[in-house]
Amino acid sequence: MPLLYTIGKVTVGNAMMLGWRPHVEGLNHIPRTGGVVFAGNHLSVADELFLGSVVPRHLAFWAKEEYFDGTGVKGWFNRSLMHGLGAIRVARGGGRAALTAFDGAIPVLKSGDAVALYPEGTRSPDGRLYRGRTGVARLSVAAGVPIVPVGMLGTDKVQPIGQLMPRPARGVVTVKFGEPIPTVGRSDDRTALRELTDEVMTEIQKLTGQEYVPRYAPAKPPKE
């Protein structure tokens, strides 16, 4: 585990655990070693904070490429922070640029590290669970690692969309981990990846009890 991430676990992680006291279920489903992809529903920006706090392993999260390319003192600080946390660089734009993040994640997983993904691609605008995008299946199959479904509950109450910081609220958040879904031997054709993605979303829905919406979530929440 990178030193800076370890420091974060001891400081921020413990503060999250003591300050919010999330309820955690299924920690026994997390592989102790080896590459693994955590695939969860996405209700709030706070999802990553709580996930990183409760998972007893290093999680390689994604970070915008701007944090790796800045200049001056601020640029140096951001680069040092991203490398120190073991973050994965994400390029803006579609096509080949967007796939560079996956290219960067595959060796991370093959080296035995863990990566977190949100198959919905964006936060749920209304608390429902939307159709998953196939990136989580594509990455897991390419790296030959299992997928652990994650169900988050209550994070949207602690930090709703548009709120800068989590609200103090103990016992509101629940984090559930499902049994690992193996991917070794799975096909990487479009039909098989779609089936695997749907399987993952079904397992997430079992953990959260959310209403499932068989279409992709809108990029922006609807105006009230």
Side-chain angles (χ1 to χ4, degrees):
M1 187 179 295
L3 176 60
L4 193 56
Y5 192 92
T6 301
I7 294 173
K9 287 281 290 181
V10 173
T11 55
V12 178
N14 283 338
M16 297 294 294
M17 297 298 290
L18 292 173
W20 280 266
R21 295 194 180 279
H23 177 69
V24 184
E25 298 179 15
L27 278 177
N28 57 301
H29 294 314
I30 298 177
R32 294 186 178 182
T33 59
V36 59
V37 171
F38 291 91
N41 61 320
H42 201 11
L43 298 174
S44 167
V45 173
D47 292 338
E48 292 186 351
L49 286 173
F50 284 103
L51 186 61
S53 297
V54 303
V55 171
R57 298 180 50 178
H58 173 249
L59 277 179
F61 286 104
W62 313 79
K64 295 184 294 185
E65 62 180 349
E66 287 86 346
Y67 291 128
F68 294 86
D69 295 334
T71 59
V73 175
K74 183 179 180 181
W76 171 84
F77 175 81
N78 285 335
R79 284 195 305 275
S80 300
L81 180 63
M82 294 302 103
H83 290 303
L85 292 173
I88 300 171
R89 178 189 184 116
V90 177
R92 289 185 178 274
R96 183 67 248 172
L99 292 176
T100 57
F102 278 40
D103 293 340
I106 290 174
V108 170
L109 290 166
K110 287 187 174 182
S111 70
D113 217 336
V115 171
L117 281 176
Y118 299 101
E120 291 171 280
T122 187
R123 286 170 290 172
S124 171
D126 52 19
R128 296 185 293 176
L129 183 67
Y130 284 80
R131 190 183 197 213
R133 299 182 183 273
T134 59
V136 62
R138 188 181 306 277
L139 176 61
S140 303
V141 171
V145 300
I147 302 170
V148 172
V150 181
M152 288 280 185
L153 296 166
T155 53
D156 53 334
K157 296 179 177 63
V158 169
Q159 190 174 3
I161 293 175
Q163 182 165 309
L164 185 61
M165 297 292 291
R167 297 170 178 166
R170 289 190 172 191
V172 174
V173 174
T174 296
V175 186
K176 298 181 179 182
F177 298 95
E179 294 186 11
I181 300 172
T183 66
V184 175
R186 298 258 193 168
S187 171
D188 61 357
D189 65 69
R190 292 178 62 182
T191 300
L193 293 177
R194 180 73 261 165
E195 290 176 351
L196 176 55
T197 303
D198 291 342
E199 180 182 345
V200 171
M201 301 310 293
T202 296
E203 293 305 312
I204 293 174
Q205 197 274 335
K206 289 179 182 177
L207 295 172
T208 65
Q210 291 170 279
E211 177 185 347
Y212 181 72
V213 182
R215 64 176 185 274
Y216 296 126
K220 295 182 180 179
K223 293 182 180 180
E224 299 181 353

